[in-house]
Amino acid sequence: MGPEPTTRAGETAQTLDRGLRLLHLVADAPGGLTVTEAAQRLGVARAAVYRLVGPLTEHGLVRRDGGGRLRLGAGVLNLARRAQPLLAEGALPALRRLAEQTGATAHLTVVEGGEGVALAVVEPSWTAFHVAYRTGSRHPLERGAAGRAVLAGRAGSAGPVSTVGELQPGAYGVAAPVLGVPGLEASVGVVALAPLDAGTVGTQVVTAAEAIGRALS
């Protein structure tokens, strides 16, 4: 007689769990991982890591570089690109409210490749002038309210961050991190050509970030 179905199901679930853990380990290692390092962190034998790497490589989620180190594959980027429209759609209602409330251009910024990327942008409908902010715009996390809010979120702060002229001369920005969404680093913010009331706008931005966090979680 063969193994019980419940036993096979348990083994399959364990393999899937290990494969996903391996994928997260590789994602968290900018310089890649050796098979030995991966085995040590997973608490399994090297042979088990090789068995996990095979399917992940076939699906393009993991690759081995010239030195044999495990790195993320292009398949992860393809999955991320497919997920981005869903993220943007979930954020749009809160962004629209924020843009109308503040009279400033509202945006959702996500972390991709160590940079901030504007994933969704909504302009206010009633203002004569506002900042043009293009979807897909990239910037370092260390510059601009959106990136600085992400860094603040990493440090455990959910409060608003304000900047002046860091990405565009004469532009004022306020942003807050989106917290509580597994696997997502993001912020919600507004940018305007005139000074923004840090108290009022900061509260509105935090409220929008919380609403988007609930929508995406």
Side-chain angles (χ1 to χ4, degrees), residues 26 48 124 142 154 187 201 216:
V26 175
E142 296 78 13
R154 288 180 181 177
S187 68
V201 175
L216 299 181

Side-chain angles (χ1 to χ4, degrees), residues 74-169:
V76 173
L77 296 178
N78 291 332
L79 288 175
R81 292 190 186 102
R82 293 177 183 179
Q84 284 181 350
L86 300 177
L87 294 176
E89 183 178 348
L92 284 176
L95 290 179
R96 290 194 186 99
R97 287 194 299 271
L98 182 61
E100 296 302 313
Q101 287 173 341
T102 62
T105 301
H107 52 85
L108 171 68
T109 296
V110 300
V111 177
E112 183 179 280
E115 294 181 307
V117 181
L119 183 61
V121 176
V122 176
E123 299 176 351
S125 64
W126 55 270
T127 56
F129 301 98
H130 49 259
V131 174
Y133 192 37
R134 292 184 179 180
T135 301
S137 298
R138 290 178 171 269
H139 55 81
L141 296 180
E142 296 78 13
R143 293 181 58 196
R148 291 186 182 278
V150 169
L151 296 178
R154 288 180 181 177
S157 174
V161 175
S162 301
T163 59
V164 180
E166 290 195 356
L167 293 179
Q168 181 176 332

Side-chain angles (χ1 to χ4, degrees), residues 36 39 58 62 84 97 112 116 184 193 204:
T36 299
E58 290 176 5
V62 169
Q84 284 181 350
R97 287 194 299 271
E112 183 179 280
L184 177 70
L193 296 171
Q204 293 167 332

